[in-house]
Amino acid sequence: PGAAPPPSSRVYDYAGEAACDAARDVFAGAIEAVARVAPEDGFAAIKVTALGQPELLERWSSGLVETARLFGGERLPTADRGAFEAAWFGLFTESAASRAAAAETFGALEAARARAPGAAVRVADVISVKRMRELSALCREAGPFAAAALTEEEGALADAMLDRLDGLAALAAARGVRVMVDAEHTYFQPAIDHICLELMRKYNRGGGAVVHNTYQCYLTATAAKLERHAALAAREGWHFGAKLVRGAYLHLERARAARLGYADPVHACIEDTHACFDAAVSFALTRPDVRSGRSAANVLVASHNRASIERALDVMADEGLDPRTSKVYFGQLLGMADHLTFTLGAHGYRAYKYVPYGSLYEVMPYLLRRAHENGDLLSSNVAGERALLVGEL
């Protein structure tokens, strides 16, 4: 009695959607403001959980994971139509709807292969949210895939979320502003990654990267995901954009993994996280598309760690990446690591402050959370920063 609804509860109300519309308008205002003060190299941050129900993102992420599992490995051959359909009807009933879905899916696979000859194309990459819902009703056995598919109501809410994000990306492209899509908890991230890839396919063409996805380097899966997304951009001919961070939800992720009994998604020690971050920066700056000149680096190095920033500068020097034209950016939180931001700016690098905005009561809790998350770093840097301030005085 009195307990919260179970996670499987699917209750979404219009008041929540109205709040998401209001958040969209706030983000649009931020994009317009950035365009006025930084018409060439401005950034605005977007948080997907403000633009849709967080529970919906979690359900959507589960659906994407189960889709990948259902169609993974050799279970569904994708090259030969006969073999594909034979395997398909082992999973789904033989009906007019199922035959139409099989034909459409195989056609989408062929189109994806035509865009990226020789590339491995996954069935999960070409099945839409709507198609997942339709297929769940055609499964021969009710398993995790059927349970994870979004309902019609949830599909409508997902479409509304996509419309908000697409509208913001279109506005940013029209105003010459880049958008950073913030990373979230691991149980939201598959849906966010899926959304970001779709937006990058659409808006990161021609002149450069409008949309930048965020990669959290304290997660063990980040290196492989970063390489996979960059390779996808190279195959499909759009510009890859990335914001690289260490990560903000360490304690929550570990506690959740222990509570639910799955493997800890976070690196075992801070040294491994440092190594992952530095390797991610090096990869982003030296990937083939950058070295060949087909694409700029399009990477925001978001770090308060002096050693990591110095390593990034060394890679830039080794690769001959011009600080002003290579689209390598550096970012720190407002009020933190000013000695790094201002020194980078003074030497001609593109340096940014991540600026929270809103009422005092909205902004202060955010700043306190950031200070708590960066507590170890702040405490270790206090003596050094104090010495720098005394020297200036």
Side-chain angles (χ1 to χ4, degrees):
S8 60
S9 178
R10 306 181 190 180
V11 179
Y12 308 112
D13 56 33
Y14 187 73
E17 288 296 284
C20 294
D21 287 341
R24 175 204 56 205
D25 295 341
V26 171
F27 289 136
I31 291 169
E32 295 283 11
V34 169
R36 289 193 294 272
V37 300
E40 293 183 3
D41 272 324
F43 276 102
I46 292 176
K47 199 170 183 67
V48 178
T49 48
L51 296 169
Q53 291 283 351
E55 295 91 344
L56 173 64
L57 277 173
E58 185 173 0
R59 293 263 304 122
W60 190 352
S61 293
S62 296
L64 290 167
V65 169
E66 293 304 333
T67 301
R69 285 179 181 156
L70 181 67
F71 298 115
E74 300 299 320
R75 191 169 189 179
L76 198 64
T78 59
D80 177 80
R81 182 160 195 155
F84 172 85
E85 290 184 347
W88 179 276
F89 293 119
L91 297 172
F92 304 106
T93 59
E94 292 195 52
S95 63
S98 183
R99 285 191 291 275
E104 180 185 295
T105 304
F106 192 80
L109 288 168
E110 289 186 315
R113 280 193 290 269
R115 289 194 303 269
V121 180
R122 302 185 311 163
V123 176
D125 293 334
V126 301
I127 294 182
S128 67
V129 171
K130 181 180 179 181
R131 181 59 76 198
M132 284 170 54
R133 183 172 69 249
E134 293 169 349
L135 289 177
S136 69
L138 301 172
C139 288
R140 289 187 178 276
E141 297 179 6
F145 171 78
L150 300 184
T151 66
E152 186 172 348
E153 179 189 0
E154 289 169 330
L157 291 172
D159 289 342
M161 184 192 302
L162 288 171
D163 286 344
R164 295 183 189 104
L165 284 154
D166 187 82
L168 290 170
L171 175 63
R175 299 291 187 268
V177 173
R178 278 169 294 278
V179 291
M180 303 177 295
V181 180
D182 280 352
E184 309 269 5
H185 307 105
T186 51
Y187 44 92
F188 297 144
Q189 200 58 44
I192 295 171
D193 289 340
H194 180 80
I195 292 167
C196 281
L197 288 173
E198 288 302 307
L199 293 175
M200 285 194 279
R201 283 187 177 102
K202 184 174 181 179
Y203 293 102
N204 288 14
R205 295 185 180 274
V210 172
V211 179
H212 293 60
N213 196 10
T214 301
Y215 297 85
Q216 301 188 98
C217 294
Y218 71 163
L219 298 173
T220 57
T222 292
K225 180 170 74 172
L226 184 68
E227 293 179 14
R228 186 171 68 253
H229 290 181
L232 193 63
R235 292 197 304 265
E236 296 184 356
W238 43 271
H239 299 286
F240 180 65
K243 173 188 172 186
L244 302 177
V245 302
R246 277 174 168 76
Y249 309 107
L250 184 148
H251 300 297
L252 183 148
E253 294 287 4
R254 283 189 166 156
R256 187 174 190 271
R259 186 174 73 254
L260 299 180
Y262 60 84
D264 186 348
V266 178
H267 283 296
C269 60
I270 187 64
E271 290 78 16
D272 289 347
T273 296
H274 290 330
C276 180
F277 184 88
D278 294 337
V281 172
S282 180
F283 169 78
L285 299 181
T286 62
R287 55 197 168 85
D289 273 7
V290 178
R291 283 181 164 171
S292 68
R294 194 201 72 81
S295 181
N298 302 316
V299 60
L300 177 69
V301 181
S303 176
H304 299 154
N305 186 292
R306 177 176 173 177
S308 287
I309 290 174
E310 289 177 343
R311 286 191 183 93
L313 299 182
D314 288 342
V315 176
M316 290 181 68
D318 292 343
E319 296 293 314
L321 295 174
D322 187 298
R324 295 195 176 276
T325 61
S326 59
K327 299 191 183 300
V328 181
Y329 312 99
F330 295 88
Q332 289 81 41
L333 295 171
L334 180 68
M336 298 184 188
D338 287 349
H339 62 296
L340 296 177
T341 316
F342 298 144
T343 301
L344 286 164
H347 286 82
Y349 293 92
R350 302 289 188 176
Y352 293 77
K353 282 298 190 187
Y354 192 104
V355 182
Y357 54 91
S359 71
L360 177 68
Y361 296 102
E362 291 173 325
V363 170
M364 283 306 296
Y366 169 86
L367 291 175
L368 289 170
R369 287 197 300 274
R370 297 295 86 83
H372 178 71
E373 289 159 4
N374 289 277
D376 293 341
L377 178 65
L378 292 173
S379 62
S380 65
N381 282 353
V382 165
E385 290 201 43
R386 185 169 60 186
L388 290 171
L389 290 170
V390 170
E392 287 297 312
L393 290 170

